[in-house]
């Protein structure tokens, strides 16, 4: 084989190798360009807002398809890669977030970590009522309807409290998710917006602000009914001689009457009085039917017959007067040992004294009067609860 042939062959191989390298380089360059331009958006969004839910217990990989569907990010792969590169991604909390369309995947992850983009959660505390409560000489204590309205706002549009009241009053309670054991009592209240009182359990709730008033109430009541069912409330109530609805109702009294640490004692008073039987005579049940409330109730208010006023009716109120916490429900199941039938708050620190007899109780009421705890802010005559058997908290 002559030298010229060898040289020509070597030059040919070199040309082929060089061509392959050029082609591979071009393909890699094109692939990178295509990957960069098609797999991800650039920037922090186009100004159009989308509402995105991060469900409880969901993973980042499960969130990707939703973001793609709403055009927040371009591809699931880009979002998954950005989430894996961000060490804080695991800290993203459940809830609804306002994100912009056409965000880079990295920007979307950062936006989900920014609490300012998160829609507020609804927090229902033990003792919360559906309606607002105006305190005489004080502030307004917002009820659940108002709290829902406040957290339902989306771009300045808020669900009106009146819409929630109308939905509660007019929608079949079974359609709202109320448990079977509560339906008769609810229906007896006619179209009262407060007829579903006590059926929204205390807790934190993620709400979709795009839902209608009826759908939001259905969501809350259904979740609460499931909570009560899982807690075996029917058998728990039966064990202490009450229906599940009566257990909720009595626990709501504990919630509104008892100071912290005294739930089990007030529960014992309730059970002792029901067993006697004697009227409960709780000021909280008087206040529930009033437009404005305070610790001291008037003789006139205590004499008024309402579905809740236990000064004027036997037994429990017709409905709960608040949302009872699990703690209050347990207190009814596990009351303190004692023969008390009376209690009163005797000072402005909230000290509550329990008594077995009415004479003992009257002495404690005198202490309360001297301390000023039963002084009324009302202008009307007859305010105060000097002969009351209990003082609401």
């Amino acid at each position: 084989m002559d030298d010229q042939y060898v040289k020509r062959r070597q030059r040919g191989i070199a040309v082929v190798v060089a061509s392959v390298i050029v082609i591979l380089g071009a393909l890699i360059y094109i692939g990178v360009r295509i990957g960069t331009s098609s797999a991800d958006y650039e920037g922090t969004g186009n100004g159009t807002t989308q509402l995105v839910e991060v469900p409880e217990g969901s993973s980042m990989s499960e969130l990707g398809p939703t973001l793609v569907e709403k055009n927040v990010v371009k591809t699931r792969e880009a979002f998954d890669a950005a989430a894996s590169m961000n060490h804080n991604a695991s800290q993203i909390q459940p809830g609804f977030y306002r994100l912009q369309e056409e965000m880079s995947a990295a920007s979307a992850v950062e936006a989900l970590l920014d609490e300012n983009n998160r829609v507020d959660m609804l927090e229902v505390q033990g003792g919360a009522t559906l309606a607002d409560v105006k305190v005489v000489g004080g502030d307004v204590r917002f009820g659940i309807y108002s709290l829902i309205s406040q957290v339902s706002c989306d771009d300045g549009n808020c669900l009106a409290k009146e819409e929630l009241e109308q939905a509660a009053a007019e929608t079949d309670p079974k359609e709202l998710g109320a448990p079977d054991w509560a339906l008769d009592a609810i229906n007896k209240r006619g179209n009262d917006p407060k007829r579903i009182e006590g059926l929204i359990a205390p807790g934190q709730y993620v709400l979709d602000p795009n839902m209608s008033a009826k759908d939001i109430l259905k969501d809350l009541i259904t979740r609460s009914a499931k909570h009560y069912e899982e807690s075996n409330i029917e058998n728990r109530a039966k064990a202490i001689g009450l229906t599940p609805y009566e257990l909720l109702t009595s626990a709501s009294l504990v919630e509104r009457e008892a100071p912290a640490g005294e739930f089990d004692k007030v529960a014992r008073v309730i059970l002792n009085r029901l067993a006697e039987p004697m009227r409960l005579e709780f000021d909280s049940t008087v206040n529930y039917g009033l437009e404005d409330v305070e610790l001291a109730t008037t003789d006139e208010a205590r004499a008024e017959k309402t579905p809740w006023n236990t000064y004027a009716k036997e037994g429990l109120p017709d409905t709960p007067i608040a949302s009872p916490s699990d703690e209050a429900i347990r207190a009814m199941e596990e009351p303190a040992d004692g023969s008390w039938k009376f209690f009163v708050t005797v000072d402005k620190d909230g000290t509550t004294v329990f008594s077995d007899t009415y004479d003992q109780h009257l002495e404690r009421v005198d202490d309360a009067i001297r301390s000023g705890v039963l002084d009324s802010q009302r202008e009307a005559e007859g305010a105060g609860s000097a002969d009351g058997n209990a003082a609401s908290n």
Side-chain angles (χ1 to χ4, degrees), residues 62-283:
E62 293 173 312
L63 184 58
T66 300
L67 296 175
V68 173
E69 180 183 347
K70 291 180 175 289
N71 196 31
V72 173
V73 300
K74 199 164 191 179
T75 65
R76 174 179 179 175
E77 292 75 15
F79 179 74
D80 289 345
S84 66
M85 293 293 290
N86 192 315
H87 299 305
N88 295 320
S90 61
Q91 299 176 19
I92 294 175
Q93 298 298 310
F96 283 87
Y97 291 80
R98 295 184 179 91
L99 305 180
Q100 293 189 38
E101 292 183 357
E102 298 186 1
M103 305 181 76
S104 71
S107 295
V109 175
E110 289 294 339
L112 289 167
L113 287 165
D114 187 348
E115 284 293 315
N116 292 324
N117 294 322
R118 188 181 179 195
V119 176
D120 290 337
M121 296 181 71
L122 171 68
E123 183 169 1
V124 178
Q125 296 184 346
T129 55
L130 291 169
D132 297 343
V133 176
K134 181 181 178 183
V135 180
V136 176
D139 299 324
V140 173
R141 187 171 67 236
F142 290 115
I144 296 173
Y145 290 142
S146 288
L147 295 176
I148 294 173
S149 177
Q150 292 168 13
V151 302
S152 70
C153 299
D154 184 24
D155 289 336
N157 297 316
C158 305
L159 190 65
K161 177 183 70 172
E162 291 74 18
E163 293 180 70
L164 292 157
E165 292 172 338
Q166 182 177 1
E170 298 179 358
T171 307
D172 183 341
K174 191 171 184 65
E175 186 180 348
L176 289 177
D180 290 342
W181 44 260
L183 294 178
D184 286 344
I186 296 172
N187 287 321
K188 285 179 182 178
R189 296 299 311 137
N191 61 352
D192 183 355
K194 298 192 295 185
R195 65 183 186 163
I196 59 170
E197 189 76 85
L199 295 182
I200 299 177
Q204 286 190 323
Y205 297 90
V206 176
L207 298 183
D208 184 347
N210 291 324
M211 280 185 174
S212 67
K214 183 179 77 172
D215 287 341
I216 284 180
L217 291 180
K218 180 178 180 179
D219 180 41
L220 293 172
I221 294 173
T222 300
R223 282 197 262 177
S224 298
K226 182 180 179 182
H227 169 73
Y228 290 135
E229 180 183 356
E230 291 175 346
S231 71
N232 196 26
I233 192 171
E234 294 189 62
N235 288 331
R236 293 165 66 188
K238 185 177 180 180
I240 56 174
L242 299 175
T243 68
Y245 196 71
E246 288 172 337
L247 177 53
L248 284 189
T249 300
S250 55
S252 76
L253 299 182
V254 171
E255 198 74 64
R256 296 301 308 137
E257 287 281 342
E262 306 281 18
F263 276 21
D264 58 343
K265 291 184 178 180
V266 171
R268 172 53 66 192
V269 171
I270 292 172
L271 292 171
N272 285 347
R273 285 192 167 223
L274 291 175
E276 191 69 22
M278 61 188 294
R279 289 184 177 179
L280 293 177
E281 298 185 338
F282 283 179
D283 290 312

